[in-house]
Amino acid sequence: MTALLEVKDLKVRVEEREILHGLTLTVNAGEVHAIMGPNGSGKSTLSHVIAGKPGYEVTGGEILFKGEDLLEMEPNERAAKGVFLAFQYPVEIPGVATMNFLRTALNAQRKARGESEFSTPDFLKKVREVAKSLNIPQDMLKRGVNVGFSGGEKKRNEILQMALFEPAICILDEMDSGLDIDALRVAADGVNALRSPERAMVVITHYQRLLNYIVPDVVHVMSKGRVVKSGGKELALELEASGYAQFEDAA
Amino acid sequence: MNLALAKNETGRGLSDSFAVARDRLPGTGKVAEARSAAFEAYESVGLPHRRIEDWKYTDLRASMRDVLPLAPAPDEAALKRAAAAVKLQSIRGVRRLALVDGVFVPKLSDLDGLENGVAVATLRGVLESGEATLQAQLLTLDNANPMVALNTAMMTDGVVIQVADGVVRTQPLQIIHVATGTTPAAIFTRSLLRLGKDAGATLIESYIAADGATTYQVHDSLIVAIGDNARLDHVRLVEDAREAFNISSAVITLGARAHFNTFGMTSGAVVSRYQATIAFAGEHSRVETNGVNLLNGRQHADTTLFMDHAVPNCASREVFRAVVDDRGHSVFQGRIIVRPHAQKTDAKMMTRALLLSDEAEADNKPELEIFADDVTCGHGATTGALDESLLFYLRARGLSEKQAQALLIQAFVGEAIESIVNDDLRELAISAAQRWLEARA
């Protein structure tokens, strides 16, 4: 069986500075991986490169998604293939109504996959169902994308999109940043509801706390642009107790 | 007189074509005298060029080169094509007044069942009838501006609308300018709207091309007098053919406690200029003017507004947005004058430009001349590209680059379009913007 996501010896530069120095990571369908590590270890860079954010230069290695070269694809092609990045800081887009955005995005993905576009009533029905399960009031959907949303609302909106687009792999970039414990629990419940044997998740976080709610199958420790240790969920607890310092030298 | 400038491509002087056209130009006596004077005024300057400060960014001598010969009156085939074009633009609940190649066409207009207190005549009719008051009002425009003078000399037709005192909730009126000519020609029109005391009206001006019309020139002017305590809502949409020129002038005068809300959008024509003077003649009046330019290819669109605060206690708001792609060029010149004694004037002007390519250009020229001391006046301008982080967010959700841009452009112009009060007219502006976005996709 082909792995869902294979990152092989990935080297990435941003403006002359190498951030990832040969990172390797394999994620299979159905698995939840956590990537932990201190600030500046390259966690967010990895998520951005997987999603196709401009401004990063890949100088070595490759990323395969279902065996296909992901780096050759435009960001929207990656989305249509089933790659979803939940942003650490979801942007506010004034003047673009959330509903209009959701429908345009969903139908663009479906069209790219050769599927029929959703009719308006079907789409509305689907959004309402998902919104209800995430406790997102209809009023929020009428506003501009993320405009005036609290931190928790923005993250819920990311999970709403995840539920709507049904991606094959979800990269959650510091989903816990800026969330209080209640907001975190709601967001984590939303993510857990989407766990399935066909879908993989990569949870990027500083803190072990999030992993109490989203329990990973595999934990990786990143330091200075490489994965320096991988293990089971108990590795996260170990890190919480001893900190990242022990890995700084290893890298 | 510069004869070289007045020559057209056929080598015949424009003064000859004025002489040739003269028989077709309505009005005798005073009207004919006014035309001759205006033509002389035009000929002494010729097409304005960049060394004339007011035309610095829009050099018609370089871009237009010649004033084309007067368009012939439309024949049956032309009217048929005009009818098809007009049909595509029809708006629910709106009374249409059609000008085809500069000629009012009753057959394509809705003149039945005019409300009591609303009168519609043609410019030709008024100029020929000897109706002194209306004629005088139609001939008030200043010859100092060469393109206005040329319009006075050559105007063939248009509509003259009068709304009596106290008449409100009138059906929106649309003056639709249709060009049909398959051979290069110029169209000269002038319209007048008189809105009585306590009256209310909505006026739409649309400029479109029938299938097959490509190279033509529109030379239009509009005179509006808004009575005391009256309100006019105005929408202006320029969707001319991509090779066409549109040079339009407007003079709007407001009485006391009057309200003028105007929205203009230019997405058509290769070169266009809209020069409008808005003058406050009575106190406690208010003007909101919103404009959008959507330009690509080599399109050039110039909006030149002159807000004349001649009396105290009036407010004006100018919000202008430009979206410029390829080698497009957007120009906004906003002059605000607050005359002595016009105390408590509240005037603001804001322009924002979105540049979608490295070669796109947007020029902003605000000019504030304030001669009163107790006023609030301000202006601001920003220019920038689409926000990369917003584009990436949208693309990461599956939108193609063009789709993501389109959504952000819609949001950018949407704020200006929101200023249109009437739902149907707002829809009309949105669909015009949509057409532009789809054409670039």
Side-chain angles (χ1 to χ4, degrees):
Chain A
M1 184 189 114
T2 328
L4 196 57
L5 179 75
E6 290 171 275
V7 182
K8 294 180 186 166
D9 196 26
L10 187 69
K11 290 178 181 155
V12 174
R13 278 168 174 271
V14 179
E15 290 168 0
E16 300 303 304
R17 201 163 72 88
E18 194 169 271
I19 309 283
L20 299 182
H21 313 286
L23 183 140
T24 297
L25 177 73
T26 302
V27 180
N28 295 307
E31 293 176 353
V32 174
H33 289 232
I35 297 182
M36 303 184 71
N39 278 328
S41 57
K43 304 188 300 295
S44 284
T45 296
L46 174 64
S47 72
H48 290 159
V49 173
I50 293 172
K53 187 174 181 172
Y56 295 91
E57 190 196 347
V58 176
T59 54
E62 60 179 352
I63 305 179
L64 300 179
F65 181 66
K66 295 179 181 170
E68 287 185 86
D69 184 355
L70 199 64
L71 295 172
E72 281 298 303
M73 298 178 204
E74 293 292 321
N76 44 308
E77 294 175 273
R78 302 181 196 199
K81 295 266 183 197
V83 176
F84 183 93
L85 170 66
F87 284 60
Q88 182 180 2
Y89 302 110
V91 294
E92 296 192 10
I93 315 179
V96 176
T98 304
M99 280 303 232
N100 183 25
F101 157 67
L102 293 175
R103 183 167 50 213
T104 309
L106 181 61
N107 281 336
Q109 291 191 22
R110 292 180 65 89
K111 204 175 162 193
R113 291 193 293 262
E115 297 165 11
S116 66
E117 296 187 12
F118 265 103
S119 70
T120 305
D122 289 351
F123 167 77
L124 291 174
K125 192 164 165 252
K126 196 169 162 74
V127 175
R128 284 206 192 99
E129 279 171 13
V130 177
K132 203 173 163 204
S133 72
L134 286 166
N135 229 343
I136 293 175
Q138 289 296 307
D139 164 61
M140 246 172 81
L141 301 174
K142 286 181 188 149
R143 283 188 262 163
V145 176
N146 291 324
V147 175
F149 286 19
S150 69
E153 285 172 333
K154 283 180 185 167
K155 296 293 164 83
R156 255 144 69 200
N157 191 18
E158 294 292 285
I159 297 161
L160 167 77
Q161 293 171 46
M162 217 157 88
L164 205 56
F165 303 151
E166 301 174 25
I169 190 162
C170 308
I171 319 283
L172 307 169
D173 190 5
E174 311 247 357
M175 199 189 79
D176 44 346
S177 68
L179 293 194
D180 61 36
I181 197 76
D182 293 327
L184 182 64
R185 190 171 296 147
V186 175
D189 286 348
V191 172
N192 285 328
L194 294 171
R195 289 178 79 151
S196 89
E198 292 83 38
R199 182 172 294 137
M201 305 218 179
V202 176
V203 182
I204 292 172
T205 181
H206 273 297
Y207 304 108
Q208 190 270 334
R209 188 181 69 170
L210 175 65
L211 306 180
N212 290 336
Y213 298 98
I214 304 173
V215 181
D217 301 305
V218 186
V219 174
H220 307 276
V221 181
M222 261 185 88
S223 178
K224 295 180 182 166
R226 284 192 188 90
V227 171
V228 290
K229 187 166 185 181
S230 300
K233 63 186 173 202
E234 63 288 345
L235 179 58
L237 291 165
E238 193 184 306
L239 279 170
E240 189 76 355
S242 57
Y244 292 116
Q246 55 177 314
F247 300 106
E248 302 277 303
D249 301 330
Chain B
M1 185 152 73
N2 192 339
L3 278 175
L5 296 166
K7 298 259 185 213
N8 64 22
E9 281 168 341
T10 62
R12 203 171 56 197
L14 181 61
S15 49
D16 292 342
S17 63
F18 178 60
V20 169
R22 206 164 227 174
D23 293 345
R24 294 182 46 208
L25 302 175
T28 52
K30 278 201 173 117
V31 177
E33 281 167 32
R35 285 186 189 280
S36 294
F39 191 76
E40 268 175 42
Y42 167 75
E43 259 205 330
S44 68
V45 184
L47 284 173
H49 51 79
R50 65 179 188 281
R51 287 183 304 280
I52 299 175
E53 181 60 23
D54 195 31
W55 294 85
K56 184 175 154 187
Y57 299 107
T58 303
D59 187 333
L60 289 185
R61 200 171 287 187
S63 60
M64 186 182 261
R65 312 241 293 270
D66 291 305
V67 174
L68 294 169
L70 188 61
D75 57 17
E76 275 309 309
L79 287 176
K80 214 169 162 186
R81 286 189 296 121
V86 160
K87 206 171 164 192
L88 293 174
Q89 292 271 328
S90 90
I91 322 161
R92 195 165 15 132
V94 168
R95 185 182 290 282
R96 185 168 63 214
L97 303 167
L99 297 169
V100 179
D101 298 334
V103 176
F104 181 75
V105 179
K107 204 167 69 175
L108 296 179
S109 305
D110 311 313
L111 290 169
D112 293 342
L114 275 171
E115 297 103 317
N116 279 335
V118 179
V120 177
T122 64
L123 178 88
R124 177 170 285 271
V126 171
L127 292 181
E128 284 175 344
S129 72
E131 220 281 31
T133 321
L134 286 176
Q135 277 188 5
Q137 202 162 2
L138 281 163
L139 295 170
T140 47
L141 298 186
D142 192 354
N143 284 337
N145 185 306
M147 299 316 285
V148 171
L150 180 66
N151 182 267
T152 302
M154 303 288 284
M155 57 186 174
T156 53
D157 210 349
V159 290
V160 175
I161 305 160
Q162 296 184 83
V163 180
D165 293 352
V167 177
V168 289
R169 283 199 212 96
T170 49
Q171 195 179 352
L173 295 159
Q174 179 189 29
I175 303 176
I176 184 161
H177 298 258
V178 191
T180 71
T182 45
T183 51
I187 299 163
F188 297 87
T189 46
R190 176 167 298 182
S191 294
L192 168 67
L193 170 62
R194 282 194 354 173
L195 202 53
K197 247 185 349 191
D198 306 310
T202 298
L203 176 69
I204 304 136
E205 293 180 280
S206 307
Y207 300 83
I208 61 169
D211 200 23
T214 53
T215 310
Y216 61 89
Q217 296 171 356
V218 173
H219 298 266
D220 185 34
S221 57
L222 175 72
I223 301 167
V224 175
I226 305 173
D228 292 348
N229 205 35
R231 175 183 176 128
L232 177 64
D233 287 286
H234 176 229
V235 172
R236 188 174 182 277
L237 301 173
V238 177
E239 290 190 87
D240 276 307
R242 299 294 302 246
E243 303 297 319
F245 283 71
N246 184 315
I247 310 297
S248 299
S249 311
V251 174
I252 297 106
T253 312
L254 290 92
R257 296 175 310 283
H259 190 170
F260 178 48
N261 178 293
T262 176
F263 172 87
M265 185 156 80
T266 299
S267 55
V270 65
V271 173
S272 64
R273 162 121 160 171
Y274 179 55
Q275 41 185 19
T277 297
I278 301 173
F280 291 96
E283 293 188 37
H284 302 286
S285 289
R286 182 174 174 83
V287 170
E288 291 121 20
T289 150
N290 291 279
V292 172
N293 276 349
L294 296 172
L295 309 174
N296 57 18
R298 286 171 168 273
Q299 282 183 294
H300 173 111
D302 171 340
T303 302
T304 295
L305 297 181
F306 174 31
M307 194 69 69
D308 189 351
H309 282 273
V311 297
N313 295 308
C314 291
S316 62
R317 292 286 176 277
E318 296 171 46
V319 178
F320 193 80
R321 284 171 191 236
V323 179
V324 195
D325 200 357
D326 305 328
R327 302 182 68 175
H329 186 184
S330 176
V331 177
F332 179 82
Q333 305 190 104
R335 183 170 162 226
I336 298 173
I337 182 161
V338 182
R339 299 197 186 264
H341 314 299
Q343 304 294 4
K344 305 285 180 194
T345 288
D346 176 2
K348 286 188 184 68
M349 178 161 63
M350 181 69 207
T351 63
R352 287 180 67 189
L354 195 54
L355 301 180
L356 302 178
S357 87
D358 292 341
E359 289 176 300
E361 183 175 340
D363 292 301
N364 277 304
K365 193 171 87 175
E367 282 180 281
L368 270 59
E369 297 170 53
I370 302 166
F371 301 101
D373 53 15
D374 185 13
V375 301
T376 312
C377 285
H379 70 87
T382 63
T383 299
L386 285 172
D387 186 322
E388 289 292 337
S389 66
L390 304 192
L391 278 174
F392 175 62
Y393 187 82
L394 294 173
R395 298 198 64 199
R397 295 300 178 252
L399 275 71
S400 69
E401 191 168 9
K402 290 275 186 195
Q403 270 182 315
Q405 287 181 351
L407 212 54
L408 296 178
I409 294 166
Q410 270 173 21
F412 179 77
V413 300
E415 270 182 77
I417 291 177
E418 285 303 308
S419 69
I420 302 172
V421 184
N422 179 305
D423 291 342
D424 292 331
L425 300 192
R426 200 165 49 242
E427 281 301 316
L428 182 75
I430 290 168
S431 53
Q434 209 85 42
R435 280 193 286 276
W436 184 84
L437 286 167
E438 276 161 20
R440 75 181 283 278

